[in-house]
């Protein structure tokens, strides 16, 4: 755990070849993000999904599918975490990948948390629209308050003007 609370790798000696889905389902329930556990293949280069919340078109989990050769895989192979946009199974995602190391420091797998880029952009757009609406509302309230304050301040002057006009 880094001082800022982030995690840049996990040490897990004896990473199993198979998982039940509770680890990724629990991660998704807590974070709202899709979660995946990868295991490094015997070739030491390729990663395969062993547990995931990602689904194929037919609704089955995308278990057994490889991590495509990309900048995330390159970073993981160097024992580094990766944050950025990646195409995952044909869909663009905002991602964070964290390497899993054995006690000897060798990369044996990875964890990833992903969110569809479009979902993330929609959330950002909705937040910006809400902030804009709140800003307009605050501006209208400020203008109305200013109008009534100026009117109240000018009331004695208007009264004096009427009195002088009657003389």
């Amino acid at each position: 755990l880094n001082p800022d609370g982030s995690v840049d790798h996990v040490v897990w000696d004896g990473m199993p070849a198979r998982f039940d889905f509770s680890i990724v389902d629990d991660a998704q329930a807590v974070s709202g993000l899709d979660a995946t556990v990868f295991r490094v293949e015997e070739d030491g280069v390729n990663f395969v999904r062993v547990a995931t919340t990602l689904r194929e078109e037919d609704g089955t989990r995308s278990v057994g599918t490889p991590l495509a050769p990309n900048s995330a895989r390159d970073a993981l192979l160097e024992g580094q975490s990766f944050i950025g946009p990646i195409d995952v199974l044909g869909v663009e995602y905002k991602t964070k990948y964290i390497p899993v190391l054995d006690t000897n420091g060798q990369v044996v797998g990875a964890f990833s948390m992903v969110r569809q880029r479009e979902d993330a952009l929609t959330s950002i757009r909705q937040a910006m629209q809400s902030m804009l609406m709140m800003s307009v509302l605050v501006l209208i309230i400020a203008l109305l308050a200013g109008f009534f304050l100026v009117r109240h301040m000018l009331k004695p002057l208007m009264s004096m003007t009427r009195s002088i006009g009657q003389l």
Side-chain angles (χ1 to χ4, degrees), residues 3 18 36 49-50 55 80 117 122 124 133 138 150 160-161:
R18 294 194 179 268
T36 300
R49 289 174 180 84
V50 292
R55 305 270 179 173
Q80 303 295 314
R117 184 178 166 108
T122 299
I124 291 168
M133 289 173 51
V138 167
V150 167
M160 281 179 34
T161 303

Side-chain angles (χ1 to χ4, degrees), residues 7-65:
V7 176
D8 57 13
H9 71 276
V10 173
V11 176
W12 190 347
D13 199 29
M15 186 174 190
R18 294 194 179 268
F19 284 81
D20 65 31
F21 297 118
S22 64
I23 191 170
V24 291
D25 290 341
D26 291 347
Q28 184 181 46
V30 169
S31 69
L33 304 174
D34 281 304
T36 300
V37 177
F38 293 91
R39 181 179 43 80
V40 173
E41 295 282 70
E42 289 181 17
D43 63 10
V45 176
N46 292 303
F47 292 80
V48 65
R49 289 174 180 84
V50 292
T52 187
T53 57
L54 295 171
R55 305 270 179 173
E56 298 287 342
E57 288 183 16
D58 65 4
T60 60
R61 293 183 190 247
S62 297
V63 174
T65 58

Side-chain angles (χ1 to χ4, degrees), residues 134-153:
M134 289 301 293
S135 297
V136 169
L137 182 62
V138 167
L139 179 62
I140 290 170
I141 291 170
L143 287 172
L144 286 172
F147 171 77
F148 288 113
L149 181 64
V150 167
R151 187 173 170 196
H152 178 72
M153 290 173 52

